[in-house]
Amino acid sequence: MRSTNKPRFSYLLVGLVGLCATVLAQRQMERLERGVVAVHQGAGKVFVSWRLLGTDVVEMAFNVYRSANGGKATKLNDRPIADVTSLVDTNVDLTKSNAYFVRPVLKNREQPASRLFTLPANAPARQYLSVPLQTPLGYTPNDASVGDLDGDGEYEIVLHQTGRGRDNSQNGLTDPPIFQAYKLDGTLLWTINLGKNIREGAHYTQFMVYDLDGDGRAEMACKTADGSVDGKGKIIGDGNADWVSKDAATLGKVLTGPEYFTIFDGLTGAALATADYIPGRGDLSGWGGIGGNGGNDNNGNRADRFLAGVAYLDGVRPSVVMCRGYYGRSVLAAWDWRNGKLTSRWVFDSAQPGLAAYSGQGNHNLSVADVDGDGKDEIVYGSMCVDDNGKGLYSTGLRHGDALHVSDLDPTRAGLEVYGIHEIEEHTQGPGTALYDARTGKILWTSDPNKDVGRGVAADIDPRHFGAEMWGGTEGLKNTKGERIGAAPRMVNFAIWWDGDLLRELLDRNVIAKWDWQRSKLETLLTAEGCTANNSSKATPTLSADLFGDWREEVIWRTNDNNELRIYTTTIPTKYRLTTLMHDAQYRLSIAWQNVAYNQPPHTSFYLGEGMKPPPRPTIRLAPLR
């Protein structure tokens, strides 16, 4: 049982005060606006929330204003609000247009006002924002990422539109992958068509959206090929080339021809730079090894497994890490986009002499975190870790898996932990689930011996046990020490901070649910009617992230008719005040890699849960104003 002497903190100071043992370099991050959002709750009530930034001082407070039909603004609070970043406005005349904004208050002086958020007259009572789409005929909205593409402090959405897709293990023709960029009002900024020489499927097309050069506007980076068309209509490579296999044994696969890596301008979609993809496919039979079932192939099933991430490898500026392979040979290639030039930073290749222990340890996903506390990021590549300098840090030998969670899961231990599940298939042995130390790779506990476990989650859902709970496999809900503490939730997919406490809720399909730890059952908090999840049995959202408002997370789902995205946001009051999660670098990078292969939920670099200590203040500097 958890001690009754729980660590406590002032709600005013949460997210603003932290104890840092070392002075770390400041990471360049997005200059976000206040992200004010107002939601009509019905009965004349409007829930208003806004961001606390990672650079805000402890004393920062806020005044909230409403203007009806463009008239004089009325302040809604009697005294500056210093303990939370939300407010419920009552007795609102919603037959009028109502615009909301906040003014920060410091030393009794108001600062410049935030951008307006306007509820139109007679706005319906609903807790989502609608983003109308221009979905191409025959396509379906799938995974998305976000970035400030135009430098105005508000996120735009980069959406992967999918037609016919195929898994790597399957033959068959696919449709060209298409990407579209939208503003939150539905304005279409650009369309990029990767063409027929990039195959459609969860393991082929990983796309990174991030401000890579620190100019205040995000870029998009992904693998391209002959015939890819940028947002300005410019063709990359040879537009007439057709590298799609017509052989019966590999029909539809792209196993020959050049492969490229391209940086696209976030505002226009124009290709800014293109280089040869690292690594090339080479010998198709050279990608097998000890992961998965320990087998091999020469039909591209192992050679064309791609992952990607963004990491602060120098502790200051972000780099893109493009990856290939994880069942056997694994290659990670780091790139820098600086001053209009694309350069290779380093390449890690498990096929190099002395690195055999790193083969076959990759997942269908990855995570990025500063595991050794030096201010620079490492790549947690499933069951192994690559250091910020491109050298192998450790390999656990736990082998391939489908789910991965990296955070301060056990706050009684120093540093971060990694929880994952593993495929134990024919000819192989090992644990189906495991927790290991993120700094050293030391295995802390294992369970489900020799069982192929397909799903697993780590999140604080039970206040009686300090730290995250973990579940997946057959052994029920476990605490940080690996002890079984009861039945596990049937939801084993995403986690989300949604209601007003510090526990995390569960997200699966189009439902958000709360774990009732006293009765060991799930209670539905939200069903997104008219919306559906993506990626078949994976049932993942288009995106989940702290997109605006206070520190709680939003969820994006597509509608059943594929013509709209709906961004759901909580309207539940909270007594806690935290900085926006998007100014925690590990969390922000989690949003960048969330679209990769088997999508996973984001995690913070610190323990965010019941009994938490004040998290460290972000050591960041913001991009310049555009």
Side-chain angles (χ1 to χ4, degrees):
M1 298 290 287
R2 181 177 294 177
S3 167
T4 56
N5 297 318
K6 301 175 185 176
R8 295 291 183 183
F9 54 83
S10 165
Y11 303 144
L12 171 64
L13 301 182
V14 167
L16 296 175
V17 176
L19 301 176
C20 238
T22 58
V23 177
L24 302 177
Q26 291 183 314
R27 299 182 180 217
Q28 64 174 43
M29 297 195 74
E30 298 152 316
R31 183 178 294 275
L32 297 174
E33 236 276 349
R34 288 293 167 185
V36 175
V37 63
V39 181
H40 179 196
Q41 294 182 280
K45 295 193 300 182
V46 175
F47 183 82
V48 186
S49 68
W50 60 94
R51 290 188 184 107
L52 187 68
L53 304 175
T55 51
D56 283 338
V57 298
V58 172
E59 298 84 6
M60 189 71 77
F62 297 91
N63 288 331
V64 185
Y65 291 85
R66 168 175 32 90
S67 170
N69 283 345
K72 182 179 179 180
T74 301
K75 189 169 70 169
L76 302 179
N77 49 293
D78 294 330
R79 61 185 62 184
I81 300 171
D83 56 347
V84 294
T85 50
S86 61
L87 172 147
V88 178
D89 187 16
T90 58
N91 299 318
V92 184
D93 183 356
L94 288 153
T95 65
K96 299 178 180 179
S97 171
N98 290 278
Y100 290 87
F101 63 93
V102 300
R103 284 185 179 273
V105 180
L106 189 60
K107 296 181 180 179
N108 296 318
R109 298 188 65 178
E110 285 194 327
Q111 308 299 307
S114 70
R115 176 177 300 176
L116 294 173
F117 182 95
T118 302
L119 274 176
N122 301 305
R126 64 189 191 193
Q127 65 181 106
Y128 64 82
L129 277 62
S130 173
V131 182
L133 300 177
Q134 299 178 40
T135 301
L137 184 64
Y139 278 71
T140 299
N142 196 260
D143 296 336
S145 191
V146 294
D148 185 0
L149 304 182
D150 56 10
D152 66 353
E154 180 179 79
Y155 284 122
E156 282 75 45
I157 298 171
V158 176
L159 177 65
H160 183 185
Q161 296 274 15
T162 62
R164 291 177 300 169
R166 296 283 184 178
D167 187 82
N168 298 57
S169 62
Q170 303 169 357
N171 295 339
L173 299 173
T174 75
D175 292 319
I178 291 176
F179 290 91
Q180 295 179 324
Y182 288 93
K183 292 187 70 66
L184 295 184
D185 64 3
T187 300
L188 177 64
L189 297 177
W190 48 255
T191 297
I192 292 172
N193 189 319
L194 295 186
K196 60 188 173 186
N197 293 314
I198 293 290
R199 206 169 190 235
E200 178 64 86
H203 306 291
Y204 294 101
T205 310
Q206 326 304 336
F207 60 103
M208 294 295 105
V209 179
Y210 212 84
D211 180 7
L212 299 171
D213 57 4
D215 69 349
R217 293 196 292 109
E219 291 78 35
M220 187 183 90
C222 69
K223 186 173 181 282
T224 56
D226 282 341
S228 295
V229 182
D230 75 4
K232 290 288 193 177
K234 181 181 177 181
I235 297 173
I236 295 171
D238 181 356
N240 296 317
D242 184 354
W243 301 105
V244 179
S245 174
K246 308 304 187 298
D247 296 337
T250 55
L251 178 65
K253 295 191 175 186
V254 182
L255 304 177
T256 57
E259 301 174 282
Y260 308 126
F261 172 57
T262 300
I263 304 289
F264 295 94
D265 183 87
L267 181 60
T268 67
L272 299 174
T274 295
D276 289 338
Y277 190 87
I278 300 175
R281 60 178 70 87
D283 180 2
L284 293 177
S285 62
W287 294 89
I290 62 173
N293 60 12
N296 201 4
D297 65 74
N298 60 3
N299 61 13
N301 186 29
R302 285 169 170 77
D304 276 5
R305 298 281 177 166
F306 298 99
L307 301 174
V310 175
Y312 290 82
L313 300 174
D314 64 2
V316 177
R317 296 174 296 181
S319 302
V320 182
V321 182
M322 303 300 290
C323 315
R324 186 176 211 146
Y326 41 76
Y327 286 127
R329 180 188 177 196
S330 298
V331 183
L332 290 73
W335 296 86
D336 291 340
W337 173 245
R338 309 272 192 268
N339 302 316
K341 294 183 179 180
L342 179 62
T343 57
S344 172
R345 186 179 186 89
W346 51 250
V347 178
F348 173 90
D349 188 345
S350 71
Q352 294 297 310
L355 297 179
Y358 291 86
S359 287
Q361 304 302 315
N363 271 31
H364 290 301
N365 30 65
L366 53 69
S367 188
V368 178
D370 177 11
V371 304
D372 53 12
D374 65 355
K376 303 174 184 179
D377 287 328
E378 283 70 46
I379 313 301
V380 181
Y381 204 72
S383 296
M384 59 118 165
C385 187
V386 176
D387 207 350
D388 56 78
N389 59 7
K391 307 296 183 182
L393 190 61
Y394 60 78
S395 176
T396 66
L398 290 168
R399 302 173 42 258
H400 165 73
D402 287 3
L404 185 69
H405 303 270
V406 182
S407 187
D408 188 5
L409 303 175
D410 183 354
T412 68
R413 300 182 70 257
L416 308 177
E417 293 79 34
V418 182
Y419 175 72
I421 56 96
H422 305 276
E423 288 188 13
I424 309 301
E425 300 177 349
E426 64 268 27
H427 315 304
T428 61
Q429 293 183 330
T433 59
L435 182 73
Y436 68 84
D437 182 274
R439 177 191 290 263
T440 66
K442 177 183 177 181
I443 298 173
L444 303 175
W445 54 261
T446 66
S447 61
D448 287 278
N450 300 322
K451 293 179 180 177
D452 183 350
V453 178
R455 298 285 183 93
V457 180
D460 184 22
I461 61 172
D462 187 334
R464 298 171 297 182
H465 304 273
F466 192 34
E469 286 72 46
M470 286 154 267
W471 66 104
T474 63
E475 298 188 10
L477 191 64
K478 297 200 169 188
N479 62 17
T480 58
K481 309 307 177 187
E483 301 163 336
R484 190 181 192 277
I485 58 175
R490 69 178 183 274
M491 287 185 172
V492 196
N493 194 4
F494 264 54
I496 181 171
W497 286 288
W498 184 259
D499 67 5
D501 63 27
L502 295 173
L503 298 174
R504 218 164 181 191
E505 286 65 57
L506 302 182
L507 166 61
D508 200 346
R509 299 167 287 112
N510 65 335
V511 173
I512 295 174
K514 181 81 170 175
W515 179 244
D516 184 339
W517 43 270
Q518 293 176 310
R519 296 187 295 167
S520 295
K521 63 179 296 186
L522 288 164
E523 294 185 349
T524 298
L525 300 181
L526 171 76
T527 300
E529 301 291 350
C531 295
T532 190
N534 292 331
N535 304 315
S536 186
S537 64
K538 297 298 182 285
T540 51
T542 297
L543 185 73
S544 74
D546 179 14
L547 298 177
F548 41 68
D550 65 24
W551 58 275
R552 272 88 57 83
E553 295 174 289
E554 281 69 45
V555 188
I556 305 178
W557 282 288
R558 62 182 169 98
T559 53
N560 295 336
D561 62 7
N562 297 325
N563 291 326
E564 177 187 357
L565 295 179
R566 292 180 180 174
I567 309 176
Y568 280 79
T569 186
T570 188
T571 58
I572 302 172
T574 181
K575 61 183 179 181
Y576 299 98
R577 179 169 116 151
L578 284 79
T579 58
T580 174
L581 302 186
M582 296 297 248
H583 275 169
D584 176 65
Q586 182 179 326
Y587 182 92
R588 180 63 185 91
L589 297 175
S590 298
I591 305 310
W593 57 244
Q594 189 179 134
N595 69 79
V596 171
Y598 293 174
N599 304 12
Q600 296 292 283
H603 291 281
T604 55
S605 64
F606 55 90
Y607 171 62
L608 201 173
E610 181 68 21
M612 68 184 288
K613 295 179 180 179
R617 181 180 178 127
T619 53
I620 62 175
R621 60 181 175 85
L622 302 183
L625 288 170
R626 296 291 298 184

